Amino acid sequence: MSPLVSARLDDRAARMWLALVVQPGDELVGHLVGHWGAPEVATRLASGKPLPRNLVSSRVASVLAQRYQSVPPLSAIARTQRIIEARGLGITIPGDPHWPTQLGDLGSAAPLLLCSAGDLRVVSAHRARVAIVGTRKPSSEAVMATREIAAGQVRSGRTIVSGGARGIDATAHAVALEFGVPTVAVVAQSPDRPYPPEHRGLLGNIAQSGVVLGETLPGVKRGPEGFLARNRLIAALSNLTVVTEAPRRSGAISTAAHAAKLQRDVVAVTYPNHHSRNDGALRILEQWAATELAWPE
């Protein structure tokens, strides 16, 4: 590795600065961080100077310059750290005691850090986890199926992981809370910025016994791409992904695709009397090595 441009910028600080700048799952930046370290990459991007030719090709340097033309100064790290501490959030980076090592399966798309509210040991412990995801506008049958599947997983000792969204996600989290066991909400925004806003109470309850986590820091707002990017984290944190109902094009389908790519087990729930609501399940069954669960069993 070449010498760091600034010896004062350690790995944690550099990753925090990069998390303020870099889009979630940027594999180019992830690749550079993996090879040359976060301090080298952060200091170069912050200075506006391209990474030297011995680090990257001119084409890669040009791509980075175009992607990140306007960036905050390195002093933004201290300001962000104060906000994080004031809001009772935690920052965890690779190598920390409670970093979920299964995120390493994402390779260059792994998150630079995790920002969390609650107990991150829920995802760092060697315990089976199941992602239960689906549409924000579920049918009554899908809600019933989600509740029963989630309850069965909880009784089997597995931790429920979902995205904290309306519909299927909220139903799965609620079942875990009803059983009094921890659940994991992976969010696209900072954990202190509930989305949707009406889930402030739900996410607060999750953080009390489980954890709300993501890769977005306070003050950073993510658009639709942030919600799609967080789906890779849901898949990576889970041994199994269950889609209980979803349109053919949806975030839940994205989660299933990530799970299949990571060689995690995927289950798609189908309903005999609701053919139009089986579109997402049929796509999963057609495209990936998924297991069909016909409901009711």
Side-chain angles (χ1 to χ4, degrees), residues 112-274:
L112 293 161
L113 53 71
L114 291 177
C115 183
S116 61
D119 190 351
L120 200 62
R121 288 176 295 181
V122 176
V123 287
S124 64
H126 294 290
R127 181 185 178 93
R129 286 174 292 276
V130 55
I132 301 180
V133 295
T135 178
R136 289 169 171 77
K137 298 179 180 179
S139 63
S140 58
E141 289 83 359
V143 171
M144 291 174 59
T146 301
R147 289 191 61 83
E148 291 192 35
I149 291 169
Q153 295 297 317
V154 169
R155 292 191 189 100
S156 297
R158 299 181 181 91
T159 299
I160 303 297
V161 180
S162 198
R166 300 180 182 98
I168 297 300
D169 290 16
T171 300
H173 289 307
V175 170
L177 293 173
E178 289 166 13
F179 274 83
V181 299
T183 181
V184 180
V186 184
V187 295
Q189 309 294 349
S190 172
D192 68 322
R193 185 171 178 258
Y195 186 87
E198 64 267 25
H199 282 188
R200 179 176 294 277
L202 172 66
L203 294 173
N205 290 336
I206 291 172
Q208 286 182 13
S209 60
V211 64
V212 179
L213 63 87
E215 57 194 316
T216 302
L217 296 178
V220 178
K221 295 182 180 180
R222 299 295 184 200
E225 72 284 348
F227 290 90
L228 286 174
R230 66 88 185 268
N231 294 332
R232 79 194 196 287
L233 305 185
I234 296 175
L237 290 170
S238 307
N239 309 98
L240 166 69
T241 292
V242 181
V243 180
T244 55
E245 185 178 75
R248 198 168 181 85
R249 292 172 60 88
S250 64
I253 300 299
S254 166
T255 304
H258 284 296
K261 183 178 179 180
L262 293 168
Q263 298 185 323
R264 308 291 203 260
D265 292 329
V266 180
V267 170
V269 181
T270 58
Y271 304 90
N273 299 320
H274 293 274

Side-chain angles (χ1 to χ4, degrees), residues 71-128:
V71 297
L74 291 175
S75 60
I77 299 170
R79 182 173 63 252
T80 302
Q81 182 63 55
R82 289 194 294 270
I83 295 171
I84 288 168
E85 292 173 356
R87 297 181 184 179
L89 302 175
I91 294 295
T92 310
I93 66 171
D96 282 351
H98 300 306
W99 177 262
T101 56
Q102 60 270 35
L103 292 176
D105 292 346
L106 291 168
S108 296
L112 293 161
L113 53 71
L114 291 177
C115 183
S116 61
D119 190 351
L120 200 62
R121 288 176 295 181
V122 176
V123 287
S124 64
H126 294 290
R127 181 185 178 93

